[in-house]
Amino acid sequence: MSLHELKCEACRGDVPVLQEREIAELRPGVPDWELALVDGIKVLRRVYKFKNFAEALSFTNKVGALAEEQGHHPALLTEWGKVTVTWWTHAIGGLHKNDFIMAAKTDKLLES
């Protein structure tokens, strides 16, 4: 089953962050996403490009609706012609499988 077909699972604060091996296994499912370090926390980040602000805002709203539906929320930066989406799991201060699932689901929004 592809990552975008999975559903996020509830994540508690006592769940460990993903190890390098686990991250390496999940990365092929979201090849356009970069691993970044933000304030010492590993995150997944991608910048999506659009023709104008209206298209960027529309995509932001789709990501927001998806986040509410799945109960997992990203950092979103909407600018003229681009949206930066950053996924990580706040409760554990790092990456969880949910972040890779949501990155894949975010990519699928471009097809709708």
Side-chain angles (χ1 to χ4, degrees), residues 6-70:
L6 300 175
K7 186 165 174 55
C8 285
E9 57 188 53
C11 185
R12 302 176 322 272
D14 61 348
V15 174
V17 297
L18 292 176
Q19 299 301 306
E20 292 301 323
R21 176 187 54 77
E22 296 166 308
I23 291 171
E25 290 172 5
L26 293 166
R27 287 268 301 151
V30 290
D32 297 322
W33 290 74
E34 69 169 323
L35 277 174
L37 202 58
V38 177
D39 296 328
I41 296 171
K42 280 187 186 173
V43 301
L44 286 173
R45 181 172 48 208
R46 181 169 178 193
V47 177
Y48 294 89
K49 305 276 184 174
F50 299 94
K51 293 179 190 169
N52 52 48
F53 186 79
E55 286 185 14
L57 184 59
S58 175
F59 182 73
T60 298
N61 289 330
K62 288 179 184 179
V63 175
L66 172 66
E68 279 296 297
E69 173 189 302
Q70 294 288 313

